[in-house]
């Protein structure tokens, strides 16, 4: 039950964080930006920062506890507001975890990091507090997409749990999905928002961030098109002419991370 309380608290905090960022939609109705994002254009919002080890760890914890393809179906049927969360989560816990799904989204914790000369392994990078807010790496395209699905569901839960009536719910979008960005979307965000200076692999500081941040020399970022990534990573030579460099990949890599966009699907 302690873990369940922590999950409820984390969802509530996600909900509260969304209150910080507001945009006007095309109908001039006030809507709050989806958590973690900044408005890009029309119906597209983009993550301000990369997905971190801490973010992906939250995903793994919920999958180990109750989240699965089966519970995804239950979440699709929740009310838009005033969710009776205690009973709902009791039902999710009765369904239980899906061990096969957990194995699909777990990272290779014993994979060596190619930027070190010692015996550091993936587990020390992923599970250490020191690297909690560094970008998650060695994630496959399929795992990144599953994270996006999970994040969509968690935000829907947060909205349903923390709004009590139709009037409160009207401040938040009802039909949306998180996904990987297209090349065009990523390049537009780069053109519109400020870009950080070059740096070696370093943490992603999420506090006081209010715009799209890209740090050449950190990690390259997955795009919606499978096998394609954009941006310079720690193993690239940093040149101004190559800041929007397109790269290809076939397997999870320690120079590759990702961020999400949130696409609003309602009219």
């Amino acid at each position: 039950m302690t873990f369940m309380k922590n999950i409820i608290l984390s969802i509530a905090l996600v909900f509260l964080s969304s209150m910080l960022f507001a945009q006007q939609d095309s109908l001039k109705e006030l809507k709050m930006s989806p958590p973690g994002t900044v408005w890009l254009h029309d119906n597209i919002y983009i993550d301000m920062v990369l997905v971190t080890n801490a973010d992906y760890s939250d995903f793994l914890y919920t999958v180990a506890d109750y989240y699965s393809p089966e519970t995804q179906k239950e979440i699709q049927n929740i009310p838009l507001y005033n969710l009776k969360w205690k009973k709902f989560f009791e039902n999710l816990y009765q369904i239980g975890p899906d061990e096969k799904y957990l194995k699909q989204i777990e990272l290779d914790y014993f994979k060596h990091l190619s930027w070190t000369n010692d015996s550091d392994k993936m587990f020390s990078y992923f599970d250490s507090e020191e690297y909690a807010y560094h970008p998650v790496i060695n994630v496959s395209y399929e795992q990144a997409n599953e994270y996006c699905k999970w994040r969509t569901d968690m935000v829907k839960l947060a909205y349903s749990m923390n709004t009590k009536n139709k009037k409160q719910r009207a401040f938040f979008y009802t039909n949306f999905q998180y996904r990987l960005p297209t090349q065009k979307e990523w390049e537009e965000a780069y053109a519109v928002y400020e870009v950080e200076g070059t740096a070696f692999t370093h943490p992603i500081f999420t506090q006081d961030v209010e715009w799209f941040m890209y740090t050449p020399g950190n990690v390259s970022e997955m795009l919606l098109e499978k096998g394609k990534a954009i941006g310079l990573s720690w193993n690239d030579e940093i040149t101004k002419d190559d800041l929007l460099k397109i790269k290809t990949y076939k397997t999870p890599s320690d120079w590759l991370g990702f961020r999400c966009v949130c696409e609003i699907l309602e009219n």
Side-chain angles (χ1 to χ4, degrees):
M1 292 300 292
T2 300
F3 181 76
M4 181 177 175
K5 290 179 180 178
N6 289 337
I7 290 298
I8 300 302
L9 177 60
S10 66
I11 291 174
L13 291 174
V14 166
F15 172 84
L16 291 173
S17 69
S18 71
M19 300 291 289
L20 299 176
F21 308 102
Q23 295 290 342
Q24 293 283 345
D25 68 7
S26 59
L27 298 178
K28 304 301 181 183
E29 295 176 343
L30 185 65
K31 296 286 187 182
M32 298 298 175
S33 299
T37 69
V38 64
W39 183 70
L40 185 57
H41 66 78
D42 299 327
N43 64 331
I44 301 296
Y45 293 77
I46 191 166
D47 273 351
M48 292 176 281
V49 297
L50 289 153
V51 174
T52 66
N53 285 325
D55 296 327
Y56 200 86
S57 181
D58 286 343
F59 174 35
L60 289 175
Y61 282 138
T62 57
V63 172
D65 213 43
Y66 67 84
Y67 186 79
S68 68
E70 185 65 27
T71 55
Q72 286 175 8
K73 299 175 185 177
E74 298 294 322
I75 294 172
Q76 302 314 307
N77 295 321
I78 62 174
L80 289 177
Y81 53 86
N82 201 27
L83 174 67
K84 307 303 181 184
W85 62 266
K86 288 186 178 180
K87 183 176 181 180
F88 179 76
F89 274 90
E90 285 176 0
N91 292 336
L92 294 190
Y93 275 82
Q94 287 179 1
I95 295 174
D98 184 328
E99 294 298 330
K100 183 178 179 181
Y101 182 63
L102 179 59
K103 289 181 179 179
Q104 289 175 2
I105 57 99
E106 279 185 327
L107 306 182
D108 183 355
Y109 301 120
F110 298 100
K111 190 171 184 178
H112 287 272
L113 302 178
S114 58
W115 66 72
T116 66
N117 294 320
D118 56 27
S119 59
D120 282 357
K121 294 182 178 180
M122 179 62 185
F123 188 80
S124 63
Y125 176 83
F126 180 74
D127 203 50
S128 169
E129 280 190 27
E130 180 181 358
Y131 300 110
Y133 294 100
H134 285 238
V136 66
I137 55 175
N138 284 325
V139 178
S140 71
Y141 177 82
E142 290 75 17
Q143 289 169 332
N145 277 290
E146 289 303 315
Y147 173 88
C148 292
K149 292 178 185 177
W150 167 82
R151 186 168 166 187
T152 301
D153 287 341
M154 292 300 103
V155 174
K156 287 181 178 179
L157 275 174
Y159 289 166
S160 182
M161 290 168 53
N162 290 278
T163 56
K164 302 303 180 184
N165 52 55
K166 187 176 181 180
K167 184 177 180 180
Q168 291 180 1
R169 187 64 176 85
F171 285 97
F172 305 95
Y173 294 109
T174 58
N175 191 10
F176 55 87
Q177 67 172 4
Y178 285 86
R179 58 168 172 79
L180 294 173
T182 65
Q183 180 178 341
K184 183 178 180 180
E185 289 164 348
W186 200 99
E187 289 175 344
E188 181 179 348
Y190 173 86
V192 170
Y193 291 101
E194 182 176 339
V195 176
E196 289 289 290
T198 60
F200 201 64
T201 306
H202 73 293
I204 305 298
F205 295 104
T206 57
Q207 294 181 344
D208 301 323
V209 176
E210 298 182 11
W211 54 82
F212 172 89
M213 291 181 62
Y214 158 52
T215 303
N218 199 6
V219 293
S220 300
E221 302 183 27
M222 288 185 198
L223 295 172
L224 184 60
E225 183 179 341
K226 186 176 182 179
K228 183 181 286 189
I230 193 169
L232 299 176
S233 73
W234 56 266
N235 71 343
D236 292 310
E237 181 180 353
I238 308 300
T239 62
K240 290 185 178 180
D241 293 337
D242 286 334
L243 292 180
L244 299 181
K245 182 178 181 179
I246 298 298
K247 304 169 70 173
T248 59
Y249 66 93
K250 293 183 178 180
T251 60
S253 301
D254 57 12
W255 53 263
L256 182 63
F258 72 99
R259 77 175 73 217
C260 307
V261 298
C262 187
E263 180 178 6
I264 308 304
L265 303 175
E266 59 199 59
N267 295 326

